[in-house]
Amino acid sequence: MRRLIVAILFLSVFINACTKKEKSASTENDSVDATVSESIARGQIVYKQYCIACHMADGLGAPPMNPPLSGTSFIKGDKNLLIPVILKGMTGQSIDGQKYHNVMPPLDFLTDEQIADVLTYVRNSFGNKEDVITSEQVSVVRGK
């Protein structure tokens, strides 16, 4: 009987510890999700102010002048290649085999956070689902 009581107590403590760990992980994930959501919301504001005229509200661009932002290798690819596009602009670049003729001006006057937010927005809109870009990553690329 005593072994049964000890086993029940042990099981109770074990279940309680597991439940706390799950709640803690859930709270941490909720916090991360909220941070990403906030970045996307801020990025949407930057997009509407600086990007929408060329890349359109649906992110499909205006071929052959302005490239789409939906599913392109630039958007889905290496962050360290994407960030300089915002900082330095781009012209005459072929994207996924299609050449676009309009000039994208440099937007280097944007803060690191604004660039990170707008790229996170674009990488998670228009059918894209990519990881976030942080202001720290932008700062590193800007510093090169």
Side-chain angles (χ1 to χ4, degrees):
M1 181 68 157
R2 183 178 170 154
R3 285 186 178 174
L4 180 60
I5 292 172
V6 170
I8 291 171
L9 286 173
F10 177 77
L11 185 58
S12 174
V13 169
F14 178 76
I15 290 172
N16 193 19
C18 289
T19 303
K20 283 182 183 178
K21 188 181 279 187
E22 286 175 14
K23 285 181 183 175
S24 173
S26 175
T27 303
E28 185 177 306
N29 288 339
D30 291 346
S31 175
V32 169
D33 290 344
T35 302
V36 172
S37 294
E38 290 167 4
S39 177
I40 289 171
R42 289 188 310 264
Q44 184 177 28
I45 293 167
V46 175
Y47 184 85
K48 286 179 179 179
Q49 188 170 3
Y50 298 105
C51 311
I52 200 168
C54 295
H55 295 289
M56 305 298 143
D58 59 8
L60 295 179
M65 298 304 291
N66 306 307
L69 302 176
S70 177
T72 66
S73 61
F74 264 86
I75 300 304
K76 297 176 84 158
D78 185 351
K79 297 173 192 179
N80 294 317
L81 297 176
L82 180 60
I83 295 168
V85 171
I86 303 295
L87 292 170
K88 297 176 182 176
M90 187 164 69
T91 185
Q93 179 70 37
S94 180
I95 299 173
D96 297 337
Q98 173 73 39
K99 189 163 183 155
Y100 296 91
H101 305 290
N102 211 355
V103 174
M104 179 174 164
L107 301 173
D108 57 350
F109 57 87
L110 295 174
T111 67
D112 292 347
E113 182 179 58
Q114 287 174 311
I115 293 171
D117 290 341
V118 75
L119 291 177
T120 296
Y121 168 72
V122 168
R123 287 170 54 93
N124 286 280
S125 301
F126 318 121
N128 301 317
K129 188 65 179 159
E130 302 300 323
D131 55 342
V132 302
I133 293 179
T134 66
S135 58
E136 290 81 11
Q137 292 167 323
V138 175
S139 179
V140 167
V141 172
R142 189 189 297 263
K144 289 182 180 176

